[in-house]
Amino acid sequence: MPKLASSATQAKLITYGQVKKDCPPRSGSSHPMCRGIRDPRACSTTRTALSCPGCGTKRRAASQARAPSRRAKRRRTLHDPAACHGSSIPIWGAKRARSVLLPAQPPRLEPDPVPLGHCRDRTDLGAGPAGLIAERLLADDVADYISFRAVCRPWRLCCPTDPRAHGVLDRRFHPRHWIMLRETCRAPTPYWRRFMNVSTGRCRDVRIPLLRGHDAFPTTEGLLVLVDRATFVVRLLNPFTRHAAELPPATTLLTLRDLDLRIPVIKLLRVTGAGLAGESTIAVHFRSIETVAVVKPGDAHWTVVDRGTWIRPAMSFAGRFYCATSNAVMVVETSADHPPRLALAAELASPLSRMMMDTVHLVDIEGKLMLVDQRFVSNNSRQFVNGHGSRTYTVYRVDLDARKIVPVRGLGGHAVFIGLKLAVAVSPSVFPSISADAIYLGFDSLFTGRLNNSPIHLIDVTSEPREFNYRSYGPLGVDYHLSKFVEGHRS
């Protein structure tokens, strides 16, 4: 097979083959144009039709510029897709230019009016919409209302009222449904406490410097009753607005009989129940001295309501203070005509036995005052052995109008955590890990030990084991923190 000529030789043949026969020979042509055309060094990919001034024949002249190198052609092809389709002369045997597959161009989108990572300016929301939002937040949750005010000054001016302009007893600013957990959140500064909303499951960390040197007890309204361990002054604190009302020292309630017990004063004045007893009256129960007393901010001394009555649970419900004795549910009556006193709210089905350690527990479930009756029995079909004997549980609804208790089945789909001092109801729809219509016991020594704390299911009358591994470093469930909450607070 005959060998093919090289690309350069082929280019020469093609170039010379374009010269017509009537053109003067190479040696006889003296015009520079003709010499440039026949000169192989003048070969280029770009040619134009010119007329030879010597013979008048139209020739295809080449550019005098130097031909680009292969690397330059490749670079130009990559940057200019139209360069690969230029008017270059095809040369037989020469390498073909590589085709470049360009990526598909995405559709052009309109630019976002707000760049990513930037916040929209809502300061010009307007007094009307901002004021309406603030009113709804205040009616629902004071924590969201305070956060709304802290966004910017225009929003703060649109809020209907300032919490700092009102006292701690203003019910509009009470953190309803918020409880202070026993755990301390990890923060660089001390006296941070974690609060949880039992109706939504949200948590919020709040710094409360006033907790230093105080024993704290939570109320149903979300307020904190603080007792100074040095001066025994009682203070009422709103943890979200940080408003505090200073009350008289609790040492004025001690008697000579109490001092003869040789018990530290801080233990004698430990609060086991507190709440509102009226528009501007605060009621506090001191279990160690068996005293229920009321006071108003600005009073010089406490007013004793009852002394010497065996009272277990005490709580505030619908702006009134309720407590349970061995025979009935009592309420603190306050009026301008009569001194504060305990009045009958409803009678119990049967008296409680202090020897058998029977207890009752008041709890608010969806705006209804409920009572959980716990009795110790010897033989009963509904008994639960938890290390301290057999227990039976009965749930009642307190009918305040008829002054009696009505037995009900279950807890309306809720779960109740009970302790010697506190009780709280939560919904399994908010906390799915908690069983419905179940009673969870707190970590009080009278009830049960920490490693034997079984929730009682009221519908099928069963109990399930619930053990906590305290040696593990993993997070504990919400049932542990709620059982720890109803155990009581000290500091």
Side-chain angles (χ1 to χ4, degrees), residues 265-378:
V265 178
I266 190 61
K267 292 185 177 181
L268 293 175
L269 299 178
R270 184 170 296 168
V271 179
T272 54
L276 297 182
E279 293 295 333
S280 59
T281 305
I282 306 164
V284 180
H285 174 231
F286 301 92
R287 176 188 169 188
S288 299
I289 58 177
E290 297 182 345
T291 301
V292 177
V294 296
V295 69
K296 294 182 179 180
D299 291 350
H301 55 83
W302 291 79
T303 301
V304 177
V305 177
D306 185 86
R307 189 188 297 270
T309 303
W310 183 77
I311 295 175
R312 277 298 183 189
M315 61 170 290
S316 179
F317 174 77
R320 305 183 72 181
F321 191 75
Y322 293 87
C323 57
T325 63
S326 59
N327 298 315
V329 178
M330 310 298 290
V331 60
V332 176
E333 293 285 353
T334 57
S335 61
D337 301 334
H338 303 279
R341 66 189 187 280
L342 283 180
L344 178 66
E347 293 184 356
L348 299 181
S350 60
L352 300 177
S353 174
R354 298 183 62 178
M355 183 178 298
M356 298 298 296
M357 294 183 295
D358 296 341
T359 59
V360 292
H361 309 272
L362 298 174
V363 63
D364 181 6
I365 300 179
E366 293 185 350
K368 298 179 181 179
L369 184 60
M370 309 295 290
L371 185 141
V372 179
D373 193 337
Q374 177 186 230
R375 303 295 178 103
F376 285 77
V377 295
S378 56

Side-chain angles (χ1 to χ4, degrees), residues 180-316:
M180 185 177 70
L181 302 179
R182 293 288 297 271
E183 65 169 340
T184 58
C185 54
R186 299 178 180 178
T189 56
Y191 306 110
W192 282 81
R193 295 297 182 269
R194 178 158 297 172
F195 288 78
M196 183 175 66
N197 193 318
V198 295
S199 62
T200 61
R202 297 167 50 196
C203 292
R204 178 170 297 192
D205 297 336
V206 182
R207 183 174 181 268
I208 311 176
L210 194 58
L211 287 179
R212 180 178 182 181
H214 289 77
D215 288 345
F217 186 86
T219 66
T220 309
E221 294 82 10
L223 306 177
L224 298 178
V225 176
L226 308 180
V227 179
D228 196 324
R229 290 194 290 264
T231 62
F232 309 106
V233 173
V234 181
R235 294 179 174 89
L236 186 65
L237 172 67
N238 188 328
F240 288 148
T241 63
R242 295 188 179 181
H243 274 180
E246 187 166 330
L247 307 177
T251 51
T252 57
L253 297 174
L254 298 177
T255 61
L256 294 177
R257 181 182 176 182
D258 299 331
L259 296 176
D260 291 340
L261 297 176
R262 298 183 182 277
I263 299 177
V265 178
I266 190 61
K267 292 185 177 181
L268 293 175
L269 299 178
R270 184 170 296 168
V271 179
T272 54
L276 297 182
E279 293 295 333
S280 59
T281 305
I282 306 164
V284 180
H285 174 231
F286 301 92
R287 176 188 169 188
S288 299
I289 58 177
E290 297 182 345
T291 301
V292 177
V294 296
V295 69
K296 294 182 179 180
D299 291 350
H301 55 83
W302 291 79
T303 301
V304 177
V305 177
D306 185 86
R307 189 188 297 270
T309 303
W310 183 77
I311 295 175
R312 277 298 183 189
M315 61 170 290
S316 179

Side-chain angles (χ1 to χ4, degrees), residues 84-108:
C84 60
H85 303 289
S87 58
S88 59
I89 299 177
I91 301 176
W92 184 84
K95 293 185 178 181
R96 184 177 58 184
R98 297 180 181 179
S99 60
V100 181
L101 296 179
L102 298 178
Q105 297 294 332
R108 186 175 182 181

Side-chain angles (χ1 to χ4, degrees), residues 124-136 148 154-155 157-160:
D124 56 348
L125 186 61
L132 182 60
I133 294 174
E135 291 179 0
R136 293 187 177 183
F148 182 82
W155 285 12
L157 296 178
C158 296
C159 293

Side-chain angles (χ1 to χ4, degrees), residues 430-448:
V430 180
F431 305 101
S433 61
I434 295 178
S435 302
D437 296 301
I439 296 177
Y440 290 77
L441 304 178
F443 294 143
D444 298 280
S445 59
L446 182 62
F447 283 167
T448 178

Side-chain angles (χ1 to χ4, degrees), residues 11-35:
K12 294 178 183 179
L13 295 176
I14 293 175
T15 304
Y16 294 132
Q18 292 180 356
V19 182
K20 291 185 178 181
K21 294 181 179 181
D22 54 353
C23 184
R26 185 187 310 177
S27 59
S29 178
S30 61
H31 196 271
M33 180 69 71
C34 296
R35 291 198 304 268

Side-chain angles (χ1 to χ4, degrees), residues 172-185:
R172 295 177 298 173
F173 306 105
H174 289 171
R176 299 177 293 272
H177 308 297
W178 286 92
I179 61 174
M180 185 177 70
L181 302 179
R182 293 288 297 271
E183 65 169 340
T184 58
C185 54

